[in-house]
Every structure is written in C-alpha cells, then in structure tokens.
Amino acid sequence: MTTAQRLMPFPQERVLEDAAFGHGIVPTRLYALLLPVWQVEIRADITEGEDFFLIDRFLGRGLRHGRLHTVDELASFFALDRALVAQAVRFLTAIGHVRESGGRLALTSLGQRSVDDDIRYVVTRQDRRKLFFEALSCTPLTRAHYDEEVVTLLSGDRLSQVTGSDHYPRFTPLLVTSGFDRLALDRLRNREDRARFNLPAALDTLESVDEQLVFLPVYLVRGRKGLLVYGQAGAGLAHDPELSELCARAPELTHTLDNEEKEDEAGDRIRRAAQNWLRKQEFTSVAPEQDDDGAWSVSLPAAAFGDNGLPVSRIGTYRMVGSRFFRVWCPAETPRKRALLDRLDQRLGSRRQVTRREAEDLIARLSRQLDLEIPDLSTLRGGAEKTGLSGLAAQLARLEEEPK
C-alpha cells in the first residue's frame, strides 16, 4: 500500500471525476498537499450541555417553578421515594445545580439556566483539550476533523515518512511564516455556532498552553474557474466546502501553485507521458490531443476495449502525470454505454442500502462523464440483464419500485 493509499480513502482519478462531472469544474491540476494546521492545547473552565436524566429534569422544574424547597416536598409532589429524591438532590448539588441554605433547597444560576434551556449544563474547571485551526488564516476546523479514526494530522516522524516518500502522489507541505494568532481563540469562543467547531457550550478563563504545527493531507483540484479541496473528514468522496473556500482566499497558497510549473513545460510532459502510455498499450497510430479548454486526452477506437484490450470501464477516466493528467476516451457510443453499466455495477451492484435518489444522481453524473443521454432505470436494467450483470439488474429492479 502506497503512502497516498494509507492517507487518502479515495484515488486521485476519482477526485478528478467528482470535480469535473459532479461540480462542473474543468480540472487543470491536482495537487497532493499537506495543509498546515495549528494544534492548540487550551486550558479553560468549560461548560458542556448534556441530556437530563428524567428525574433530574422534574426536580429542577419543581424547584424552579413549583415553589418546592425540600426533599420531602419534592418527593410528595412527584410521588417518588424519598431516598431516591435525596440521592438525585445530592447529585444535582455535586454538579452545581442545587444549593442548600437553612434546610431549604434552591437552584443556582447554573441550575436555573439548565432548566430554562432544558439542557443539563456541567462545569469542569481547568479542563485541557486540543483545538485545530487552519494555519494560513487561523480559521478553526469543523468538528469532523476531530475524528482521530478518520483524520490524520501529521508531525514528527510520520511527517518525515510522508514527505520523504518516492511514490506518487508526493505530498508537498505548505509552510507558514507567522505564529498562531491567539486572538483566534477569542473569535472562536464568541461564535454562536461553537458546536460546529467541537466546542462546549461555554469557555471561561481560556488560555493557550501549547501550540504545535501539524499537517493535514488533502487533494486540491484546480480548474479554470475555482478550486476544490478533498480531505479525509466526512463520509465518502466529497469536497470540503469550507477548506475549499479558505484555500481560495489564501494568497500564499495560490501564489505557490502559480509558480510551480510553466504551462508549456507541463504540456510537453503530459504529451510524452501519454505517448509512453500509448506505446505500452501498442496503440502506435494514436497521438495525444489537447482540447480547447487545455485538457489532454487520448482517443481510442472501439476495438481497443473489451476482453482482449483495455477494460471498457477505463473510458472517460483519468491517468495521472505528476500533478497533471490526461483522459482516456472512445468516440464510439456502444463501448461508452457498456462502460456506464460496468461502472454502475462497481458502484451499485453490491450496495443494498442505496436510495433511488442516490442511484439516479450517480447515473446522471456517469452519463455526463461518458457523454451519454441519461437513461431511465428500466432501460439500464434491460442492459444489465443482456450483459449478464445480474447483481446490478436486481438492484435496479428494486430501485424501480421505490417512489420517485
């Protein structure tokens, strides 16, 4: 398994396809980058919100609205065992919701707020935790980036292993010249949508204890009009809209990418790589072509695909050449229709939970990729049955029964 396969859950070619045919970007480059991230360890008094236990909710409301002030009054009003109520009151006292004075119980300000919001707020003093900020602009990363089972933040030996790899794609770290802006902590603390950034309900006496630079692996697709960033966070192959916007606004990043390689040198490199690939496939009479939008492709006859040639599923896909690429194409419609069925079989044939809407979105995207009219489910099912794709045919038959 290569470094890229260990770091990224999907290949570069699939990223290009999603950018081009899922989002309408004409891709010109794909970069494997290591985005700098500030890993900031903070210390603070934190307030976190939890769901109430049922008895705690009722006791809190009784103290807040029912003019009940003793364990006996609470037990009598709610028809509960006195020992059970006494135990619950001790718990509410321990977490700072209830106080006792002269034998009478009352809610603290924290307890009152909890009853009013119907959220059990719990305060932890001098809590330590880590927060993540994209380092180019000190913008906080969203909650999805805190899932350690999915997201890899590199530093030390692991970073050296990735940057020292000889395999493609080679991940390039982006460097920052300034330190962490501690005002970013205040900006984050004052946001109303703190939960999106893995923050508790409140942070008080907040201070930074330690700041380290780590790196987040991403693929960045650059097109004629804009860019898209694909990372590890989230489920499945999807671009990260917030990272995409951050990178588009970062002049250091765009300046670095602009200066990486000249267009004419890149064109020669792609042409040579495509010619070498064609030579290996024994297509000596075919030459690489450059489209009006600058994209490169190799156009092969129908006879080049099938049992004795290339898989038809290769039609419409990309071949990487460093950060550039060329596309494999076939002008004949019949192989492209079979390519549609084969790729649907790969994506749908073994998936039992896909919805009709998801399937139709995938069919539309693959049809655009293969320059075909979008077929309906019935037509595709007939094609799957004729070509022996029984799993796909069964899946399509099930989807036909779902309401549109």
Side-chain angles (χ1 to χ4, degrees):
M1 182 179 291
T2 66
T3 300
Q5 290 171 330
R6 289 194 300 270
L7 291 178
M8 303 300 286
F10 31 75
Q12 293 173 290
E13 293 81 2
R14 286 277 307 281
V15 170
L16 286 171
E17 292 172 14
D18 184 77
F21 307 105
H23 300 282
I25 281 186
V26 179
T28 56
R29 303 285 289 275
L30 187 150
Y31 303 91
L33 299 177
L34 297 174
L35 284 184
V37 171
W38 284 113
Q39 177 181 277
V40 181
E41 184 176 3
I42 64 165
R43 181 167 52 217
D45 296 338
I46 67 167
T47 304
E48 295 188 283
E50 305 170 345
D51 291 333
F52 269 110
F53 295 135
L54 185 60
I55 187 173
D56 297 341
R57 175 183 284 112
F58 283 122
L59 296 183
R61 289 177 178 177
L63 292 169
R64 178 74 165 144
H65 304 296
R67 298 183 180 179
L68 306 174
H69 299 289
T70 67
V71 170
D72 289 335
E73 289 175 354
L74 290 167
S76 175
F77 182 84
F78 290 110
L80 295 171
D81 180 75
R82 187 185 187 284
L84 178 63
V85 172
Q87 180 182 12
V89 167
R90 286 194 295 272
F91 172 75
L92 291 172
T93 301
I95 64 173
H97 283 216
V98 173
R99 64 173 177 267
E100 182 181 1
S101 177
R104 293 175 66 81
L105 303 175
L107 289 176
T108 63
S109 58
L110 181 66
Q112 292 176 8
R113 181 184 169 200
S114 295
V115 171
D116 293 344
D117 294 347
D118 197 26
I119 297 172
R120 188 178 72 189
Y121 293 115
V122 179
V123 177
T124 303
R125 304 293 179 186
Q126 296 295 285
D127 178 82
R128 293 173 76 124
R129 60 180 59 195
K130 292 177 181 177
L131 300 177
F132 300 122
F133 296 79
E134 175 271 321
L136 297 176
S137 60
C138 282
T139 300
L141 296 184
T142 54
R143 179 182 291 274
H145 293 90
Y146 288 78
D147 187 347
E148 294 181 355
E149 295 184 359
V150 176
V151 177
T152 305
L153 291 169
L154 300 171
S155 62
D157 292 341
R158 295 191 68 190
L159 177 63
S160 298
Q161 291 172 5
V162 171
T163 55
S165 174
D166 292 331
H167 298 286
Y168 279 99
R170 293 175 180 169
F171 283 85
T172 302
L174 297 174
L175 302 180
V176 291
T177 57
S178 57
F180 176 66
D181 178 9
R182 295 191 175 183
L183 292 177
L185 290 173
D186 293 328
R187 292 193 294 267
L188 178 57
R189 180 176 56 184
N190 294 329
R191 293 186 67 131
E192 295 184 356
D193 57 346
R194 288 184 297 272
R196 291 185 59 242
F197 302 97
N198 205 45
L199 284 182
L203 286 158
D204 297 297
T205 63
L206 172 64
E207 61 177 325
S208 172
V209 176
D210 185 50
E211 298 152 7
Q212 294 185 19
L213 199 61
V214 296
F215 291 86
L216 175 68
V218 299
Y219 287 142
L220 185 149
V221 179
R222 201 171 190 192
R224 299 293 178 187
K225 298 179 180 179
L227 59 82
L228 295 175
V229 174
Y230 292 77
Q232 300 168 320
L237 173 58
H239 82 286
D240 187 318
E242 291 175 321
L243 281 183
S244 298
E245 183 179 352
L246 288 172
C247 288
R249 295 201 314 259
E252 313 98 304
L253 172 61
T254 53
H255 181 71
T256 298
L257 301 184
D258 286 339
N259 292 336
E260 187 179 77
E261 189 176 19
K262 295 181 179 179
E263 287 294 327
D264 54 350
E265 294 176 353
D268 290 339
R269 185 181 178 193
I270 297 172
R271 185 187 300 107
R272 290 194 301 271
Q275 288 171 339
N276 291 336
W277 182 82
L278 288 166
R279 192 177 303 113
K280 290 179 181 178
Q281 307 300 326
E282 299 183 354
F283 300 128
T284 55
S285 61
V286 178
E289 302 172 352
Q290 189 171 24
D291 302 333
D292 293 339
D293 58 16
W296 286 87
S297 63
V298 294
S299 184
L300 303 176
F305 301 92
D307 294 338
N308 298 320
L310 296 171
V312 292
S313 59
R314 190 72 62 81
I315 300 173
T317 63
Y318 292 93
R319 301 280 300 182
M320 295 302 304
V321 183
S323 66
R324 304 276 184 164
F325 39 84
F326 63 90
R327 193 175 176 211
V328 179
W329 189 244
C330 179
E333 187 176 69
T334 298
R336 285 186 276 123
K337 288 182 175 180
R338 178 56 197 262
L340 174 61
L341 290 171
D342 279 12
R343 298 200 72 176
L344 286 174
D345 186 50
Q346 295 169 8
R347 302 285 295 280
L348 298 180
S350 60
R351 291 182 63 188
R352 301 303 172 196
Q353 301 303 318
V354 65
T355 66
R356 179 166 184 157
R357 174 65 179 273
E358 290 170 336
E360 289 179 338
D361 287 346
L362 176 62
I363 291 165
R365 206 209 72 180
L366 290 175
S367 296
R368 290 194 296 271
Q369 182 174 346
L370 293 165
D371 195 20
L372 295 170
E373 292 187 8
I374 302 174
D376 57 32
L377 296 179
S378 177
T379 300
L380 284 171
R381 177 172 53 80
E385 291 170 347
K386 289 179 182 178
T387 52
L389 300 175
S390 57
L392 176 61
Q395 179 77 290
L396 293 169
R398 181 187 67 80
L399 292 171
E400 282 185 87
E401 297 176 357
E402 289 188 9
K404 293 185 178 179

